Amino acid sequence: MKYANDRALIGTMSHALVMYMTWGDKVDTTTGFYDRDTEKIVPIPNEVKRRLGGYIDFFDEYNPVPIATELSLFDPGFAYAGTMDQLMMIDGKLWQIDIKTGAEYPKSQRLQLTAYKILYDALYADITGPIDTLACLFLKT
């Protein structure tokens, strides 16, 4: 269980810090990260720092324009709900990007992205247009 909790914290740190970076906040990895489970500030491991470097590389290569992060998707007409990690404009196209810090599971990840796209398009396509591109961004170490 400790291993699972440690891995979950790595994912939580990576997602949170990526979100701050997306909106232009300065991220100082030397001050630590508040772990809500233990209610303590814990050091940010080098693994997370390397993942953040991968996100910076993505930003430098694609020059995305952030539209939304951690977007809750719910409509009572659907039997599911979820939280989209990133919605960005890249080269005039609307991209849904899911940040991944774990293993690749192509079938389930495609299903997740597609389900979120269907829900997003039902809720917001009349405002923004439909999502053009679905992508998982694997932040490997």
Side-chain angles (χ1 to χ4, degrees), residues 13-25 27 52 55 68-71 85-86 99:
M13 280 183 192
S14 299
H15 273 82
L17 297 173
V18 157
M19 184 178 66
Y20 293 130
M21 291 169 65
T22 298
W23 294 109
D25 290 346
V27 171
L52 296 179
Y55 190 71
T69 53
E70 299 298 319
L71 179 63
D85 288 347
Q86 305 267 343
I99 305 297

mmCIF file of all heavy atoms in Angstrom, residues 13-25 27 52 55 68-71 85-86 99:
data_model
loop_
_atom_site.group_PDB
_atom_site.id
_atom_site.type_symbol
_atom_site.label_atom_id
_atom_site.label_comp_id
_atom_site.label_asym_id
_atom_site.label_seq_id
_atom_site.Cartn_x
_atom_site.Cartn_y
_atom_site.Cartn_z
ATOM 1 N N MET A 13 1.608 15.356 -7.464
ATOM 2 C CA MET A 13 2.588 16.451 -7.557
ATOM 3 C C MET A 13 2.760 16.885 -9.004
ATOM 4 O O MET A 13 2.723 18.089 -9.311
ATOM 5 C CB MET A 13 3.959 15.987 -7.048
ATOM 6 C CG MET A 13 4.152 15.971 -5.595
ATOM 7 S SD MET A 13 5.886 15.476 -5.284
ATOM 8 C CE MET A 13 5.802 15.172 -3.540
ATOM 9 N N SER A 14 2.969 15.914 -9.874
ATOM 10 C CA SER A 14 3.215 16.233 -11.283
ATOM 11 C C SER A 14 2.039 16.984 -11.881
ATOM 12 O O SER A 14 2.215 18.010 -12.542
ATOM 13 C CB SER A 14 3.480 14.949 -12.074
ATOM 14 O OG SER A 14 4.624 14.282 -11.584
ATOM 15 N N HIS A 15 0.815 16.504 -11.640
ATOM 16 C CA HIS A 15 -0.375 17.167 -12.188
ATOM 17 C C HIS A 15 -0.520 18.592 -11.645
ATOM 18 O O HIS A 15 -0.787 19.523 -12.402
ATOM 19 C CB HIS A 15 -1.637 16.369 -11.867
ATOM 20 C CG HIS A 15 -1.955 15.317 -12.868
ATOM 21 N ND1 HIS A 15 -1.362 14.081 -12.851
ATOM 22 C CD2 HIS A 15 -2.793 15.311 -13.918
ATOM 23 C CE1 HIS A 15 -1.825 13.361 -13.839
ATOM 24 N NE2 HIS A 15 -2.695 14.087 -14.518
ATOM 25 N N ALA A 16 -0.355 18.749 -10.353
ATOM 26 C CA ALA A 16 -0.535 20.069 -9.743
ATOM 27 C C ALA A 16 0.511 21.064 -10.261
ATOM 28 O O ALA A 16 0.180 22.189 -10.648
ATOM 29 C CB ALA A 16 -0.457 19.969 -8.222
ATOM 30 N N LEU A 17 1.761 20.647 -10.281
ATOM 31 C CA LEU A 17 2.825 21.559 -10.714
ATOM 32 C C LEU A 17 2.710 21.885 -12.202
ATOM 33 O O LEU A 17 2.952 23.028 -12.611
ATOM 34 C CB LEU A 17 4.194 20.979 -10.362
ATOM 35 C CG LEU A 17 4.431 20.803 -8.849
ATOM 36 C CD1 LEU A 17 5.743 20.070 -8.600
ATOM 37 C CD2 LEU A 17 4.380 22.124 -8.111
ATOM 38 N N VAL A 18 2.294 20.912 -13.005
ATOM 39 C CA VAL A 18 2.064 21.159 -14.432
ATOM 40 C C VAL A 18 0.950 22.197 -14.603
ATOM 41 O O VAL A 18 1.036 23.094 -15.442
ATOM 42 C CB VAL A 18 1.728 19.835 -15.163
ATOM 43 C CG1 VAL A 18 0.966 20.068 -16.450
ATOM 44 C CG2 VAL A 18 3.010 19.062 -15.441
ATOM 45 N N MET A 19 -0.102 22.085 -13.802
ATOM 46 C CA MET A 19 -1.202 23.041 -13.900
ATOM 47 C C MET A 19 -0.706 24.462 -13.590
ATOM 48 O O MET A 19 -1.027 25.409 -14.302
ATOM 49 C CB MET A 19 -2.333 22.662 -12.953
ATOM 50 C CG MET A 19 -3.547 23.578 -13.094
ATOM 51 S SD MET A 19 -4.911 23.119 -12.016
ATOM 52 C CE MET A 19 -4.214 23.422 -10.402
ATOM 53 N N TYR A 20 0.092 24.612 -12.544
ATOM 54 C CA TYR A 20 0.629 25.933 -12.224
ATOM 55 C C TYR A 20 1.489 26.460 -13.374
ATOM 56 O O TYR A 20 1.390 27.634 -13.757
ATOM 57 C CB TYR A 20 1.458 25.902 -10.935
ATOM 58 C CG TYR A 20 0.649 25.612 -9.700
ATOM 59 C CD1 TYR A 20 1.042 24.632 -8.803
ATOM 60 C CD2 TYR A 20 -0.521 26.320 -9.424
ATOM 61 C CE1 TYR A 20 0.303 24.359 -7.666
ATOM 62 C CE2 TYR A 20 -1.265 26.048 -8.286
ATOM 63 C CZ TYR A 20 -0.850 25.073 -7.414
ATOM 64 O OH TYR A 20 -1.590 24.806 -6.294
ATOM 65 N N MET A 21 2.326 25.599 -13.926
ATOM 66 C CA MET A 21 3.198 26.006 -15.031
ATOM 67 C C MET A 21 2.377 26.417 -16.256
ATOM 68 O O MET A 21 2.733 27.371 -16.949
ATOM 69 C CB MET A 21 4.155 24.867 -15.393
ATOM 70 C CG MET A 21 5.193 24.605 -14.328
ATOM 71 S SD MET A 21 6.128 23.079 -14.593
ATOM 72 C CE MET A 21 6.982 23.446 -16.100
ATOM 73 N N THR A 22 1.281 25.694 -16.498
ATOM 74 C CA THR A 22 0.432 25.992 -17.650
ATOM 75 C C THR A 22 -0.054 27.435 -17.613
ATOM 76 O O THR A 22 -0.124 28.103 -18.638
ATOM 77 C CB THR A 22 -0.773 25.026 -17.682
ATOM 78 O OG1 THR A 22 -0.279 23.696 -17.818
ATOM 79 C CG2 THR A 22 -1.711 25.348 -18.823
ATOM 80 N N TRP A 23 -0.382 27.910 -16.424
ATOM 81 C CA TRP A 23 -0.925 29.265 -16.283
ATOM 82 C C TRP A 23 0.159 30.303 -16.006
ATOM 83 O O TRP A 23 -0.137 31.436 -15.641
ATOM 84 C CB TRP A 23 -2.003 29.275 -15.206
ATOM 85 C CG TRP A 23 -3.162 28.445 -15.654
ATOM 86 C CD1 TRP A 23 -3.541 27.230 -15.163
ATOM 87 C CD2 TRP A 23 -4.036 28.722 -16.744
ATOM 88 N NE1 TRP A 23 -4.614 26.752 -15.869
ATOM 89 C CE2 TRP A 23 -4.939 27.641 -16.849
ATOM 90 C CE3 TRP A 23 -4.154 29.785 -17.651
ATOM 91 C CZ2 TRP A 23 -5.948 27.593 -17.811
ATOM 92 C CZ3 TRP A 23 -5.157 29.724 -18.613
ATOM 93 C CH2 TRP A 23 -6.035 28.645 -18.683
ATOM 94 N N GLY A 24 1.420 29.910 -16.197
ATOM 95 C CA GLY A 24 2.509 30.871 -16.107
ATOM 96 C C GLY A 24 3.033 31.128 -14.715
ATOM 97 O O GLY A 24 3.847 32.031 -14.511
ATOM 98 N N ASP A 25 2.585 30.339 -13.734
ATOM 99 C CA ASP A 25 3.103 30.509 -12.377
ATOM 100 C C ASP A 25 4.519 29.944 -12.302
ATOM 101 O O ASP A 25 4.837 28.937 -12.934
ATOM 102 C CB ASP A 25 2.235 29.770 -11.355
ATOM 103 C CG ASP A 25 0.878 30.423 -11.166
ATOM 104 O OD1 ASP A 25 0.700 31.572 -11.605
ATOM 105 O OD2 ASP A 25 0.001 29.771 -10.584
ATOM 106 N N VAL A 27 7.243 27.843 -10.635
ATOM 107 C CA VAL A 27 7.240 26.653 -9.776
ATOM 108 C C VAL A 27 8.629 26.505 -9.178
ATOM 109 O O VAL A 27 9.609 26.373 -9.900
ATOM 110 C CB VAL A 27 6.855 25.396 -10.594
ATOM 111 C CG1 VAL A 27 7.063 24.143 -9.773
ATOM 112 C CG2 VAL A 27 5.409 25.502 -11.067
ATOM 113 N N LEU A 52 8.578 17.414 -15.027
ATOM 114 C CA LEU A 52 8.306 18.831 -15.320
ATOM 115 C C LEU A 52 9.160 19.304 -16.488
ATOM 116 O O LEU A 52 8.703 20.102 -17.314
ATOM 117 C CB LEU A 52 8.558 19.694 -14.082
ATOM 118 C CG LEU A 52 7.649 19.423 -12.877
ATOM 119 C CD1 LEU A 52 8.037 20.334 -11.718
ATOM 120 C CD2 LEU A 52 6.193 19.584 -13.226
ATOM 121 N N TYR A 55 7.439 18.400 -19.562
ATOM 122 C CA TYR A 55 6.321 19.298 -19.845
ATOM 123 C C TYR A 55 6.825 20.613 -20.452
ATOM 124 O O TYR A 55 6.219 21.147 -21.382
ATOM 125 C CB TYR A 55 5.505 19.554 -18.579
ATOM 126 C CG TYR A 55 4.209 20.265 -18.869
ATOM 127 C CD1 TYR A 55 3.173 19.601 -19.529
ATOM 128 C CD2 TYR A 55 4.014 21.587 -18.501
ATOM 129 C CE1 TYR A 55 1.984 20.242 -19.807
ATOM 130 C CE2 TYR A 55 2.828 22.231 -18.783
ATOM 131 C CZ TYR A 55 1.817 21.557 -19.431
ATOM 132 O OH TYR A 55 0.638 22.200 -19.715
ATOM 133 N N ALA A 68 -8.274 25.668 -20.578
ATOM 134 C CA ALA A 68 -8.773 25.220 -19.269
ATOM 135 C C ALA A 68 -7.865 24.113 -18.740
ATOM 136 O O ALA A 68 -7.256 23.376 -19.513
ATOM 137 C CB ALA A 68 -10.205 24.704 -19.387
ATOM 138 N N THR A 69 -7.796 24.016 -17.417
ATOM 139 C CA THR A 69 -7.124 22.902 -16.759
ATOM 140 C C THR A 69 -8.067 22.346 -15.697
ATOM 141 O O THR A 69 -8.862 23.092 -15.109
ATOM 142 C CB THR A 69 -5.802 23.336 -16.086
ATOM 143 O OG1 THR A 69 -6.050 24.443 -15.225
ATOM 144 C CG2 THR A 69 -4.753 23.723 -17.107
ATOM 145 N N GLU A 70 -7.959 21.053 -15.475
ATOM 146 C CA GLU A 70 -8.776 20.383 -14.462
ATOM 147 C C GLU A 70 -10.255 20.758 -14.634
ATOM 148 O O GLU A 70 -10.929 21.159 -13.696
ATOM 149 C CB GLU A 70 -8.285 20.724 -13.057
ATOM 150 C CG GLU A 70 -6.858 20.285 -12.792
ATOM 151 C CD GLU A 70 -6.649 18.781 -12.893
ATOM 152 O OE1 GLU A 70 -7.510 18.014 -12.416
ATOM 153 O OE2 GLU A 70 -5.622 18.370 -13.457
ATOM 154 N N LEU A 71 -10.755 20.589 -15.854
ATOM 155 C CA LEU A 71 -12.120 20.959 -16.209
ATOM 156 C C LEU A 71 -13.087 19.830 -15.848
ATOM 157 O O LEU A 71 -13.025 18.743 -16.431
ATOM 158 C CB LEU A 71 -12.201 21.272 -17.709
ATOM 159 C CG LEU A 71 -13.558 21.665 -18.264
ATOM 160 C CD1 LEU A 71 -14.035 22.973 -17.626
ATOM 161 C CD2 LEU A 71 -13.486 21.809 -19.775
ATOM 162 N N ASP A 85 -7.829 16.987 -17.962
ATOM 163 C CA ASP A 85 -6.597 17.610 -17.473
ATOM 164 C C ASP A 85 -6.327 18.951 -18.143
ATOM 165 O O ASP A 85 -6.098 19.953 -17.463
ATOM 166 C CB ASP A 85 -5.391 16.697 -17.692
ATOM 167 C CG ASP A 85 -5.375 15.501 -16.766
ATOM 168 O OD1 ASP A 85 -6.148 15.476 -15.787
ATOM 169 O OD2 ASP A 85 -4.580 14.579 -17.022
ATOM 170 N N GLN A 86 -6.303 18.966 -19.468
ATOM 171 C CA GLN A 86 -5.908 20.182 -20.195
ATOM 172 C C GLN A 86 -6.777 20.336 -21.444
ATOM 173 O O GLN A 86 -7.034 19.358 -22.147
ATOM 174 C CB GLN A 86 -4.453 20.079 -20.670
ATOM 175 C CG GLN A 86 -3.450 19.786 -19.594
ATOM 176 C CD GLN A 86 -2.841 21.034 -18.998
ATOM 177 O OE1 GLN A 86 -2.920 22.111 -19.568
ATOM 178 N NE2 GLN A 86 -2.225 20.891 -17.856
ATOM 179 N N ILE A 99 -2.642 14.312 -19.019
ATOM 180 C CA ILE A 99 -1.286 14.153 -18.507
ATOM 181 C C ILE A 99 -1.171 12.778 -17.858
ATOM 182 O O ILE A 99 -1.969 12.424 -16.996
ATOM 183 C CB ILE A 99 -0.954 15.244 -17.453
ATOM 184 C CG1 ILE A 99 -1.186 16.649 -18.015
ATOM 185 C CG2 ILE A 99 0.448 15.067 -16.901
ATOM 186 C CD1 ILE A 99 -0.324 17.015 -19.167
#
